[in-house]
Amino acid sequence: MTGYNKFLSKEGYPAIAPPWGTLNAINLKHRENGLADTFGDEPAFAQKGRPATGTENYGGPVVTAGGLVFIAATKDEKIRAFNKRTGK
């Protein structure tokens, strides 16, 4: 075993096409996909005006009784909040 090996480009980015991270929700009652969004951003690409790439995610969200979803699991060091019903 050599540990956790990542498949990266020579620049150190994931060697697959973006999005590299997404936030997804599933409505179990209706068996439908809910919120699905590119999650996080690589600053080097954002500065060049490229579309959101997403980033690797390390952790999960917290959902409040009021319907807010909080998550801060991305490499871009941001905390995000979403409405669990609308995704906004």
Side-chain angles (χ1 to χ4, degrees), residues 12-14 41-42 55-58 73-78:
Y13 299 111
D41 209 4
E42 284 289 345
T55 65
E56 293 178 83
N57 295 259
Y58 302 100
T74 60
K75 290 180 5 179
D76 61 8
E77 301 178 352
K78 293 181 182 177

Side-chain angles (χ1 to χ4, degrees), residues 8-86:
L8 302 174
S9 69
K10 63 182 176 182
E11 294 83 15
Y13 299 111
I16 58 172
W20 297 322
T22 59
L23 179 63
N24 302 285
I26 300 169
N27 182 326
L28 296 176
K29 182 176 180 181
H30 299 288
R31 299 180 185 174
E32 300 172 334
N33 289 337
L35 170 67
D37 196 8
T38 300
F39 186 55
D41 209 4
E42 284 289 345
F45 292 105
Q47 291 170 355
K48 294 178 183 176
R50 294 181 78 183
T53 58
T55 65
E56 293 178 83
N57 295 259
Y58 302 100
V62 173
V63 182
T64 69
L68 290 177
V69 178
F70 290 96
I71 187 164
T74 60
K75 290 180 5 179
D76 61 8
E77 301 178 352
K78 293 181 182 177
I79 297 174
R80 292 174 171 84
F82 298 91
N83 179 307
K84 80 173 191 177
R85 287 179 176 66
T86 66

